[in-house]
Amino acid sequence: MPGHVVVAPDKFKGSISAADAAAQISRGIQRCDPTIRTIECPIADGGEGTLAAALAAGFERIPVAAPGPTGQRTLTAYARKGTLAVVEMADISGLHRLSGGVLRPLTASSRGLGTVVARALDDGCREIVLGIGGSACTDGGAGFLRALGAEVVNVHGSPIPDGGGALSQATMLDVSWLHPGLGHAKIILASDVDNPLCGPTGAAAVYGPQKGATPTQVAELDAALAHWADRVAAATGRDARDNPGAGAAGGVGFAAMTVLQAEFRSGIELILDLVDIDQHLDGACAVITGEGSLDHQSLHGKAPIGVRLHATAHDVPTYAIVGVSRLSPEEQAASEFSAIYSLQDREPDVTRSMADAADLIASAAEDLAANYLLALDRS
């Protein structure tokens, strides 16, 4: 076959990681024809799987102990290559880190993210990518900043408790003692969330319910975030509350952009750069991507579409293997995938499909190779 096949799936959420999905796609292809060469390039969009994507791309894993969203000690890591670090918030402060799985909408904190960033700065990293999807907290990034040396106090001059519910008590933010390494570092936010911090499309209103907030708590958190934004503006002379992405990760986007003057970038585009997708596409004859669910939202910047856009720029056809496709025929045509294989077509029972995802992905890849990749060889 002329060229190689780039295998670049995202995770199948709740079922199989991006790296394991890539391995199963390669297995299926080579079951069809062992001579087909594949390059596995698992990806992410800034949320869960960001750390794994960086490690698969050759970054070094640096273990770190940090507080989880409720303060419990958590063993996590960041990925490093030279002075570049990649930090995944979901792995430190994500919903799966909540003790007993109990949601804590008012008290969950982003402090652990700041702890890992501080460690990366201590280690000499000077460019830090923060993948900030999948957080459990809505604390406006206050915990994140406090772990980096900031102080947030109440009217009595005492530190306020962690969590978004306590932000209404804040009377002053002091950034005098921020980690000195921040003065020499570039912070980049990787996310595909473009919500502002407050209001009907803000962090609390849109994402608070997913983190366990009742309607009353959503209103409480939104008011607390607005109060927090006022305190941050007073301390820094800057206010990014209305910037696209300020509402990412419960307001970590706002804190990083306002206090650290972080750059905000599309999560999938940044990850594709980190894994050198364009280099892998040189000389490729096909790309296979995928994720758990392909739907209307996927057409607006999700990982598989990002892969397809890069492949199209290299004039390489792109195929998708997904858990389920909810695209209409018109949306499927607009996606411009050469073909879409859905695991649901092989196993309609969702529970069994998720449990057997590895074998189903390999089987779909084997059929895809027989139907399309061998045809490329004959053309």
Side-chain angles (χ1 to χ4, degrees):
M1 170 176 289
H4 57 272
V5 178
V6 176
V7 179
D10 196 355
K11 65 187 175 298
F12 285 57
K13 191 170 183 178
S15 180
I16 188 170
S17 71
D20 288 340
Q24 294 305 321
I25 292 171
S26 289
R27 181 166 74 96
I29 290 171
Q30 286 158 9
R31 225 160 49 188
C32 173
D33 184 347
T35 69
I36 298 176
R37 186 167 70 92
T38 62
I39 293 178
E40 294 174 19
C41 185
I43 58 167
D45 61 6
E48 295 173 45
T50 295
L51 179 63
L55 296 174
F59 282 64
E60 178 187 4
R61 180 183 179 90
I62 308 296
V64 184
T70 55
Q72 77 281 17
R73 185 173 183 269
T74 297
L75 294 177
T76 181
Y78 73 90
R80 178 175 181 170
K81 181 181 287 187
T83 59
L84 171 62
V86 177
V87 183
E88 179 190 314
M89 186 173 183
D91 193 59
I92 309 151
S93 309
L95 292 169
H96 73 287
R97 293 292 193 180
L98 289 166
S99 182
V102 179
L103 300 173
R104 305 286 185 183
L106 299 181
T107 57
S109 169
S110 59
R111 187 180 287 269
L113 177 67
T115 301
V116 178
V117 171
R119 168 62 188 277
L121 291 169
D122 288 343
D123 291 344
C125 295
R126 291 299 175 258
E127 183 174 355
I128 300 177
V129 173
L130 305 181
I132 57 173
S135 78
C137 53
T138 311
D139 73 343
F144 166 65
L145 294 177
R146 293 168 82 177
L148 287 167
E151 294 184 356
V152 184
V153 299
N154 61 21
V155 68
H156 305 294
S158 301
I160 67 169
D162 278 348
L167 291 176
S168 59
Q169 302 174 30
T171 58
M172 185 184 71
L173 166 68
D174 184 352
V175 296
S176 303
W177 302 102
L178 282 174
H179 193 296
L182 290 166
H184 311 285
K186 180 179 183 180
I187 308 296
I188 303 171
L189 301 174
S191 175
D192 288 315
V193 169
D194 60 4
N195 305 73
L197 180 65
C198 305
T201 59
V206 175
Y207 301 105
Q210 301 171 15
K211 301 173 185 183
T214 65
T216 299
Q217 290 171 330
V218 165
E220 179 182 345
L221 286 167
D222 191 60
L225 288 170
H227 175 81
W228 166 241
D230 291 340
R231 304 284 75 73
V232 174
T236 65
R238 295 183 295 273
D239 192 345
R241 78 181 77 189
D242 295 325
N243 288 20
V252 166
F254 160 77
M257 284 189 278
T258 303
V259 179
L260 308 184
Q261 299 184 67
E263 175 187 347
F264 191 84
R265 287 189 58 190
S266 160
I268 180 56
E269 282 302 312
L270 194 148
I271 298 302
L272 291 177
D273 285 348
L274 286 179
V275 302
D276 289 328
I277 190 71
D278 290 317
Q279 178 181 324
H280 296 315
L281 287 168
D282 284 342
C285 65
V287 177
I288 301 176
T289 186
E291 65 178 350
S293 177
L294 193 63
D295 53 28
H296 176 73
Q297 269 194 325
S298 302
L299 303 182
H300 299 279
K302 291 291 187 177
I305 294 296
V307 172
R308 201 274 301 159
L309 289 170
H310 278 255
T312 298
H314 287 258
D315 199 25
V316 178
T318 308
Y319 305 87
I321 296 175
V322 300
V324 57
S325 175
R326 296 187 173 90
L327 298 181
S328 68
E330 294 77 18
E331 290 171 333
Q332 183 164 329
S335 74
E336 297 186 31
F337 288 116
S338 296
I340 298 172
Y341 282 69
S342 169
L343 305 189
Q344 188 178 47
D345 294 338
R346 296 165 181 273
E347 176 49 79
D349 184 277
V350 174
T351 301
R352 284 202 294 267
S353 179
M354 292 180 70
D356 299 335
D359 288 339
L360 291 170
I361 289 170
S363 176
E366 184 176 9
D367 287 353
L368 190 159
N371 293 333
Y372 293 96
L373 301 186
L374 295 186
L376 291 175
D377 198 19
R378 293 191 294 268
S379 61

